[in-house]
Amino acid sequence: MVGFVEKVPMGVLTVDPRKVPLGRLPLGRATTRELKIKNTGDADLSITKVVSKKFKTVYFDAAEKGGPLVVKAGAEAVVQLVLQPAEAGRYLDFVMIHGEARNITDKGYKVVVVGEAE
């Protein structure tokens, strides 16, 4: 049997680079950094939650914002990461992005964020 299956249009989440350098972060003070999310797919994608895996900080929650963050095909959006390191030295965390896109698994889409807390 031979056939042709048409690809279902879907959003594709891209964060480039997947290891985001945060630079220097002041100890004990909140610092904001931007996380740029791109949709390289051919349909809208929906972001429902963006959360820190290590520190459990919630950066975006659709339930609190009245709905998901929708990123149109070919567009990008920014999520603000508010970081407040408690210890000096290397800052390392995994930001998990949850939502509906071709490449978001049930565990989320992992982005590594690194910096230096001083």
Side-chain angles (χ1 to χ4, degrees):
M1 183 184 320
V2 176
F4 175 77
V5 178
E6 285 192 38
K7 185 170 75 172
V8 175
M10 291 186 80
V12 176
L13 176 66
T14 303
V15 176
D16 188 25
R18 291 278 296 266
K19 184 177 180 183
V20 179
L22 301 172
R24 295 176 188 231
L25 303 168
L27 271 178
R29 286 191 305 173
T31 303
T32 303
R33 296 288 193 268
E34 293 184 344
L35 180 65
K36 292 183 183 177
I37 297 171
K38 297 178 187 175
N39 180 357
T40 56
D42 50 10
D44 294 354
L45 72 83
S46 296
I47 303 297
T48 54
K49 197 165 199 174
V50 180
V51 63
S52 157
K53 188 170 183 177
K54 184 176 180 182
F55 301 109
K56 308 299 184 217
T57 305
V58 177
Y59 301 115
F60 176 83
D61 188 346
E64 295 176 1
K65 297 290 185 180
L69 172 61
V70 177
V71 185
K72 301 282 186 192
E76 77 176 36
V78 173
V79 174
Q80 300 294 324
L81 304 181
V82 180
L83 312 160
Q84 190 166 347
E87 297 176 9
R90 184 174 189 221
Y91 181 90
L92 172 70
D93 196 5
F94 304 103
V95 174
M96 304 304 292
I97 303 171
H98 300 274
E100 294 180 15
R102 179 173 287 125
N103 58 337
I104 297 178
T105 68
D106 59 337
K107 294 180 181 179
Y109 179 96
K110 183 180 355 180
V111 177
V112 179
V113 293
V114 293
E116 189 67 31
E118 45 187 49

